[in-house]
Amino acid sequence: TEKADQGVRFGIRAGLNFAGMTGDFDDKPDSRTAFHVGVIADIPLMQSLYVQTGLYFQSKGCKWEESYEGERYEETCSPMYLQIPVLASYRYNFSESTQLQVNFGPYFAFGVGGKYKIEYDDGYDSEEAETDAFGDDGVLNRFDCGLQVGAGVTFARHFYVGFNYEFGLTDIGNDDFTEVDMKNSNWMISLGYTF
């Protein structure tokens, strides 16, 4: 309950996503490696409790791949989002320069781009089709929200490394394209600098 000894701090974050989707699929999709980059704000409530928010540009999605008797079929969904997390962040100081943080809370995302791609190759001919991930002919709805949980360490007072998991709570599948319930899931590895 002690008062925080510093004000609002800002930082930058970037790293890898290991993105996938959950739902009632006949065949579970594979994850795809993607990325995230963003800015954050640490807002102190008290010495050990903060609110962390910010704005991220995130690439997510998944892929399906099948091979049978020389034929290969692959679908890749690679949506891109602008995302705002609103996390409760507990802080524990190991020393004056090293701090542990544990984060939990919701995120809200809006789809801004990306593609849905189908490729087929039977060894003789190959075919390819592509459409936007979002929009009138898109396979996904633009709005997504879910929960994020994770932990990280700040060392030398400025440098950050962290791991997070996001699980979507919103069915993002466009009902005009699919009746399958689709939700984002995403592992994140982040590096950053806090000013």
Side-chain angles (χ1 to χ4, degrees), residues 4-78:
D5 55 5
Q6 58 188 8
V8 177
R9 298 181 70 189
F10 298 92
I12 55 176
R13 299 286 186 267
L16 293 176
N17 289 349
F18 300 96
M21 287 188 184
T22 61
D24 50 355
F25 302 104
D26 292 334
D27 297 310
K28 184 180 178 180
D30 297 320
S31 63
R32 64 180 294 267
T33 303
F35 69 92
H36 63 272
V37 61
V39 295
I40 61 101
D42 279 331
I43 305 168
L45 301 179
M46 57 187 69
Q47 195 171 72
S48 59
L49 184 63
Y50 286 64
V51 171
Q52 186 178 94
T53 186
L55 179 64
Y56 284 82
F57 181 69
Q58 294 245 36
S59 177
K60 297 186 181 182
C62 64
K63 62 182 180 181
W64 292 264
E65 186 172 356
E66 294 182 14
S67 296
Y68 181 73
E69 294 184 352
E71 297 183 359
R72 185 181 66 87
Y73 178 80
E74 182 175 313
E75 295 179 60
T76 305
C77 187
S78 54

Side-chain angles (χ1 to χ4, degrees), residues 68-193:
Y68 181 73
E69 294 184 352
E71 297 183 359
R72 185 181 66 87
Y73 178 80
E74 182 175 313
E75 295 179 60
T76 305
C77 187
S78 54
M80 294 181 288
Y81 294 90
L82 288 177
Q83 182 167 307
I84 298 174
V86 184
L87 309 176
S89 184
Y90 172 77
R91 308 295 170 92
Y92 178 80
N93 294 321
F94 292 112
S95 67
E96 289 187 3
S97 61
T98 305
Q99 182 184 72
L100 170 71
Q101 59 178 263
V102 179
N103 305 322
F104 177 80
Y107 72 82
F108 305 92
F110 184 79
V112 294
K115 297 292 182 180
Y116 175 74
K117 188 176 182 180
I118 299 175
E119 297 176 85
Y120 173 78
D121 189 342
D122 63 3
Y124 300 98
D125 296 309
S126 61
E127 296 180 11
E128 185 177 303
E130 186 176 272
T131 186
D132 292 334
F134 305 103
D136 294 337
D137 298 322
V139 299
L140 303 177
N141 297 319
R142 289 190 184 273
F143 179 73
D144 180 34
C145 70
L147 293 175
Q148 182 185 119
V149 59
V153 174
T154 300
F155 54 95
R157 299 186 65 88
H158 298 285
F159 299 96
Y160 172 85
V161 60
F163 302 89
N164 300 290
Y165 178 67
E166 298 175 340
F167 48 97
L169 300 176
T170 303
D171 179 9
I172 59 172
N174 185 342
D175 292 339
D176 293 334
F177 179 83
T178 179
E179 296 180 357
V180 174
D181 183 27
M182 304 169 65
K183 296 178 181 177
N184 277 314
S185 66
N186 186 33
W187 289 97
M188 303 169 63
I189 300 175
S190 300
L191 301 176
Y193 185 88

